[in-house]
Amino acid sequence: MSEGPRRTTGSGIKPLATLRITSGALSGLVLPVYDLPSIIGRGEDNEIVLPGEQVSHTHARLDARDGAWYLADLGSTHGTFLHGRRLNGETRLPAESAIRMGVVDLVFEPIENAGWRGHIARRSAGKMVLIDDIEETSGGSKFKEWFRRYWLAEIVGTLSAFGGSWLLDRLTGNPIAAAYGGSIGESIGFYGVITLKQMVADAHAAGTKHTPYDAAGAFKTTRAIFMEFGPAELIDGGLLRPLLMGLGTKLLGRELGVLAGKLLSDVAFYLPVILAYEMGKKKRLREEEDEEEF
């Protein structure tokens, strides 16, 4: 059997490998691997500190033996993925492997292949504060996250809005009824997609903890969605959206008017929704940290 990489610790010693971040505000940042095994996670007591949303306190373990590298998930809430496939145990890790932890994408490079591109991350407290500050103030990264969360629901909701408006117009011939039909149709399509996606994500998260996703879990998912969308939906779906769709239909015709009313309503709708989403996400992160510390 061939000898694995030697276990080394400390600055000034050549790293054994690197993890290069390829997404978000920290894209290009290189995390050197000095120790084996190395625990990867958000906690500053880990060998490799990986700041980021949906990264658990102790998320994954990187190790090498018999000339090969291995990666294992440590029961993280949001999972560890290798080339898009979720890990359910220790898996061999080839060079240039694409890894995802939470919403952070990385590329694994044994030191022979490491080009040392980008800035090197250090584990000092001052540097970690700098990293956190970059992450919190990255508008581009936040926008991509919001886009990933809402884009499919928006497409389905838009198609449902046209369908609901057309159906009520055919049944009643009343533009006000058609406007409410568009609003109701959009809500059904939009929230159907949002709820399904979130239930699948929460069921996967429960699976990584080896806990069942039952009726109580589904209720918790539904409650979180209501907290995110409820206040905005009361004003939007009950008044603003049908009003703007009805006005748009009267001025521009049904197809263009429904679309124009929807776009104007979305501007007012998403401001409180995104604020509630970000607040809820921070609350979940605190709860995950409390569970992991317990």
Side-chain angles (χ1 to χ4, degrees), residues 27-97:
S27 181
L29 189 73
V30 176
L31 306 172
V33 180
Y34 289 110
D35 304 306
L36 291 177
S38 280
I39 304 300
I40 307 168
R42 198 171 62 247
E44 293 192 24
D45 54 334
N46 295 315
E47 284 78 21
I48 301 176
V49 179
L50 181 62
E53 294 162 356
Q54 300 185 11
V55 176
S56 294
H57 186 88
T58 52
H59 197 106
R61 183 183 66 248
L62 181 64
D63 202 358
R65 58 183 181 273
D66 300 329
W69 288 87
Y70 294 88
L71 182 67
D73 186 80
L74 297 179
S76 64
T77 301
H78 297 284
T80 303
F81 297 81
L82 180 61
H83 296 295
R85 298 183 62 182
R86 191 171 193 139
L87 298 186
N88 293 311
E90 190 175 62
T91 302
R92 188 163 179 168
L93 191 64
E96 301 295 326
S97 290

Side-chain angles (χ1 to χ4, degrees), residues 121-135:
R122 298 300 181 190
R123 293 183 56 197
S124 66
K127 188 62 176 180
M128 291 306 300
V129 169
L130 175 60
I131 289 174
D132 289 340
D133 287 345
I134 292 174
E135 185 177 46

Side-chain angles (χ1 to χ4, degrees), residues 142-158 186 189-191 193-195 197-198 224-225 227-229 232 262 266 269-281 284:
K142 289 289 185 184
F143 180 81
K144 290 178 182 177
E145 179 185 350
W146 300 333
F147 179 80
R148 285 195 301 267
R149 178 164 177 77
Y150 301 118
W151 75 270
L152 181 58
E154 276 295 325
I155 291 176
V156 175
T158 300
E186 180 177 11
F190 182 89
Y191 290 115
V193 172
I194 287 289
T195 302
K197 285 179 61 179
Q198 193 62 54
I225 290 174
M227 294 301 295
E228 180 179 350
F229 294 99
K262 170 187 163 41
D266 283 346
F269 174 73
Y270 273 112
L271 290 176
V273 163
I274 289 175
L275 178 61
Y277 169 67
E278 291 295 328
M279 292 174 63
K281 189 169 60 177
R284 288 193 299 272

